[in-house]
Amino acid sequence: EIVLTQSPATLSLSPGEGATLSCRASQSVATYLAWYQQKPGQAPRLLIYDASNRPAGVPPRFRGSGSATDFTLTITTVAPEDFAVYYCQHRHSRPYTFGPGTKLEI
Amino acid sequence: EVRLLESGGQVVQPWDSPRLSCAASGFTFTNFLMNWVRLTPGKGLEWVSGISASGTTTYYSDSVKGRFTMSRDNSKSTVSLQMTDLRAEDTAVYYCARGLDNNKWGIFDYWGQGALVTVSS
């Protein structure tokens, strides 16, 4: 099973600042990595898939990059509605696993 | 608008066999694979199972293999998760999640609001 670790566990920022979230895989997952956002009481929301692809409707301030074992989610300018928990997840092989999450707080 | 609505969440005992259901609407159900993903306080998000658009192929995590069965009814646009031999660690919010299409396994582009299953003896 591929283990994903995320850093930092908590990121404290103010609206308008930039955010950099990291995800590291225990072995290469090529570019088969996704990022999700989850707010309290809500379902997760897909932000990025296959490392750098944004689904329709996701704002361009969310950018994904990386390959193999090291990946980054960048929020170029954090908006008030972006404060949430962010998870990475791979689909390189089953079981598909998630990271423990990074909490982006004000 | 894509909508996924889970039902069947409840407090159960280890010897019960609850069945979760997910009703899908707002898209052509037969074009998409479907999944169950759960959220637990201890382990976070965990993929549980997935099923192809036709229903002929299913995959499970090792933690539920042999105990849970995923199925779909394309005539009713529903997926189900039959749960047996429950354990305390199966306590979780269970989300129904759509695959991005029928080819890209492991991408979950729409999620339901979740159904809470609590296993307690």
Side-chain angles (χ1 to χ4, degrees):
Chain A
E1 174 175 315
I2 296 173
V3 177
L4 300 178
T5 56
Q6 293 186 242
S7 61
T10 303
L11 184 58
S12 300
L13 294 173
S14 299
E17 294 187 291
T20 301
L21 288 68
S22 297
C23 177
R24 176 162 288 180
S26 60
Q27 63 189 75
S28 176
V29 298
T31 56
Y32 296 127
L33 191 103
W35 291 91
Y36 299 84
Q37 176 194 69
Q38 188 172 31
K39 299 178 182 179
Q42 296 186 17
R45 173 195 182 193
L46 177 66
L47 296 176
I48 300 287
Y49 67 93
D50 290 352
S52 61
N53 296 282
R54 256 192 326 270
V58 175
R61 65 179 181 273
F62 292 97
R63 298 179 184 173
S65 63
S67 64
T69 60
D70 291 290
F71 298 86
T72 300
L73 175 69
T74 301
I75 310 174
T76 54
T77 305
V78 174
E81 62 268 28
D82 296 340
F83 292 97
V85 178
Y86 292 82
Y87 297 96
C88 59
Q89 173 251 327
H90 82 86
R91 69 179 189 100
H92 177 270
S93 54
R94 287 179 297 274
Y96 313 123
T97 57
F98 291 81
T102 289
K103 182 179 181 180
L104 177 59
E105 65 175 24
I106 300 176
Chain B
E1 179 190 5
V2 173
R3 297 195 70 174
L4 300 169
L5 183 62
E6 301 93 340
S7 60
Q10 58 190 294
V11 179
V12 298
Q13 296 177 311
W15 47 87
D16 289 333
S17 298
R19 185 180 186 92
L20 299 180
S21 294
C22 171
S25 60
F27 63 100
T28 303
F29 187 69
T30 52
N31 287 351
F32 294 87
L33 56 87
M34 299 294 295
N35 301 267
W36 288 97
V37 179
R38 66 187 181 185
L39 176 64
T40 65
K43 294 186 68 176
L45 287 168
E46 180 187 12
W47 170 77
V48 173
S49 62
I51 190 167
S52 62
S54 65
T56 56
T57 302
T58 52
Y59 296 111
Y60 301 92
S61 67
D62 286 346
S63 60
V64 307
K65 194 176 297 182
R67 301 187 300 121
F68 291 8
T69 302
M70 184 176 186
S71 60
R72 67 189 292 161
D73 185 337
N74 283 348
S75 68
K76 296 181 179 179
S77 297
T78 59
V79 292
S80 298
L81 187 68
Q82 181 71 56
M83 310 166 71
T84 64
D85 187 21
L86 290 163
R87 305 163 183 170
E89 54 266 34
D90 294 320
T91 294
V93 175
Y94 286 78
Y95 294 101
C96 172
R98 192 185 80 166
L100 188 62
D101 57 35
N102 192 37
N103 296 309
K104 293 183 177 64
W105 288 86
I107 304 174
F108 316 119
D109 70 342
Y110 283 93
W111 301 57
Q113 286 303 302
L116 175 61
V117 174
T118 303
V119 182
S120 175
S121 56

